Amino acid sequence: MTGLDSLYQELILDHSKHPVGNPLHDVGDAAHADSHQKNPVCGDEITLRVAVDGDRITEVSWEGTGCSISQASASMLASLVEEEIEGDGMTRADAVALIERFREALRSRGTIPLDEETFADAAALSGVSKFSARVKCAMLAWVALEDGLGRA
């Protein structure tokens, strides 16, 4: 294992043990949608809540059970969205484009790495793309966000 692989493994374990955006937050009267996603192959489950104000995402929170990859991926996604909200904000279109780039990289079998500047800690999940059985674990929260945005 290279030093970078080891660092990425530690980052995944850290997000799994100390998740960002967990548990689900009460968003009051804000427009929002919940999406529950399950990986029937391994039993991972994520319920993600996305709150929106017009075209802007105002909050993402989640709760779930499963492997460290699915839980870390949900935490990394929530952290990434939180950072964007604190900055210029994240639009629905920005989020959908981010999800599509994440999906493309994870389906690439290691040929398309996730850019750290764009994906922050979630770039640590690049190596998952080499293990097709784990791709759905990493994608679970991202699919939940995509679904939630479509319904919010």
Side-chain angles (χ1 to χ4, degrees):
M1 180 182 302
T2 69
L4 187 57
D5 289 338
S6 178
L7 176 65
Y8 281 174
Q9 185 177 23
E10 287 178 35
L11 191 56
I12 289 169
L13 290 174
D14 187 52
H15 268 279
S16 177
K17 291 176 184 175
H18 310 286
V20 174
N22 185 333
L24 288 174
H25 300 160
D26 180 8
V27 294
D29 293 335
H32 69 280
D34 291 355
S35 176
H36 181 79
Q37 300 293 318
K38 183 175 183 175
N39 182 347
V41 175
C42 65
D44 293 347
E45 293 189 50
I46 297 283
T47 299
L48 183 138
R49 177 171 295 149
V50 58
V52 296
D53 182 6
D55 191 39
R56 297 258 174 217
I57 297 172
T58 58
E59 185 172 6
V60 168
S61 61
W62 64 279
E63 60 189 19
T65 59
C67 70
S68 59
I69 291 174
S70 70
Q71 302 303 286
S73 184
S75 175
M76 291 169 171
L77 173 60
S79 178
L80 182 60
V81 172
E82 187 177 284
E83 287 176 23
E84 289 294 320
I85 291 170
E86 290 173 3
D88 295 336
M90 181 178 277
T91 66
R92 291 172 188 255
D94 292 340
V96 169
L98 196 68
I99 293 164
E100 283 303 318
R101 288 181 59 200
F102 188 79
R103 179 179 284 124
E104 179 184 23
L106 260 63
R107 290 182 175 169
S108 76
R109 298 203 177 262
T111 61
I112 302 172
L114 292 164
D115 173 29
E116 284 185 45
E117 193 169 309
T118 302
F119 289 95
D121 286 354
L125 296 167
S126 287
V128 172
S129 70
K130 297 175 188 171
F131 306 98
S132 58
R134 303 311 299 261
V135 168
K136 186 151 184 158
C137 300
M139 283 297 308
L140 209 55
W142 300 72
V143 169
L145 177 59
E146 183 176 49
D147 179 57
L149 286 171
R151 296 184 301 114

